[in-house]
Amino acid sequence: MMEWAYDGVSWVLLRWHDLWSNVFDGNQALATDWAWVLAIVGVVITLRVILFPLFVKQIQSQRAMQKLAPEIKALQERYKGDRETLQKEMMELYRKEKANPLMGCLPILIQMPVFLALFHVLRRPDPDQTMNTTLYFWTQSDWDTYVDAKLFGAPFWSTFLTSGDQLAAVDSTPLVVKLVAGVLGAAMILTTFLTTRQMILKTGWNEDPNQRMIQKVMLYGIPVIMIFSAGAFPIGVVIYWTVNNLFSLAQQQYVLHKYPPPAQSASAKPPKPGTKAHEKMLEEQREAERRRKELAPKPGKRPKPAAANTPKPKQDPKPSANGSSVNGSDGAGTVKGGPGSGKNLSRAERIARAKKVSGAQQASKKKKG
């Protein structure tokens, strides 16, 4: 089932080894066969070149999904309880805005067969294996040189748990292998953690609790699992994984710098007016407002009654001490209106009018007295 992957990875690995063998001509330095080291690095470079366009599309899809978050939330509130309609509207929104939620998983899905194929190919050669040495485009010469190849004295096919009897056949020792495998394993775990951390910090923690939990599992859970599984990985595979992580760090830094994530909080410093970033921000705000209007309930729908917003009936105005109402009505309840009622007068005019009324009342009291 995986034969196609074994053939493809082996062909790329052996072509890179042929290239570097012509450069080094069988010479070693620091007890290391650099032709095989650089051949594994070549596999990483080949894979990264092939996946780079997909990686860019992955980042672009993530940015599109982040911009659509308010619209998705509005759809969820609008179609709460109607899962079928919600899914249909979300798919239409994804299609319209050219966002693909599955694009984020595609590069990982492609890398997994490559890693599994390389794991299978590089763990096969060892001194005890004498059958099927020419599968997957390998020649007997390729097989023999890989069995004898070492990294700082540790064979490429050896693991942290390889027995001393096997290592003695190629002039190596368990101590050397454990040191090299331990340092490489620590580097692999650290670079895996840093790669995941870089991506999460640049794109932001997901607001959804379930998605946030997945991010935490990827950030902390995978490195912990690798602590216990790295001992079974051949040194050649650990070289591949570590180099691949280093390339991922550099590639992510470049792509995330070119496609920065949208501001996640109001405290983020806005771009300066007149700049391209400011114009882009205004355009995104206008687009988001347009989408919100499209997702708003259509006119003509009967609004739900809200008891809290129902206006209270007006109470009858209370009469003042002189028999006239506070709200401008006389004692009989007749409301005085019009321009002369004081409704449209200025403050100075109202004060003058009050003094005139007060003077008239005092004069009336004197006549009665």
Side-chain angles (χ1 to χ4, degrees), residues 255-329:
V255 176
L256 293 174
H257 177 74
K258 188 174 181 179
Y259 301 98
Q264 297 294 321
S265 62
S267 61
K269 189 176 180 180
K272 293 182 180 180
T275 61
K276 291 183 178 180
H278 185 261
E279 294 296 330
K280 185 178 180 180
M281 181 189 72
L282 294 179
E283 181 64 25
E284 290 175 354
Q285 290 176 351
R286 289 192 290 266
E287 184 67 17
E289 182 65 24
R290 182 185 64 80
R291 293 197 197 104
R292 280 194 290 269
K293 289 181 179 180
E294 290 179 354
L295 296 175
K298 296 181 180 180
K301 288 188 176 181
R302 187 175 182 180
K304 295 181 179 180
N309 297 329
T310 304
K312 296 181 180 179
K314 295 183 178 180
Q315 298 179 354
D316 293 336
K318 295 182 180 180
S320 62
N322 59 4
S324 62
S325 73
V326 174
N327 293 330
S329 63

Side-chain angles (χ1 to χ4, degrees), residues 167-189:
L167 296 174
V170 290
D171 298 325
S172 186
T173 63
L175 177 61
V176 171
V177 171
K178 282 180 170 53
L179 286 174
V180 174
V183 172
L184 272 179
M188 179 181 68
I189 295 170

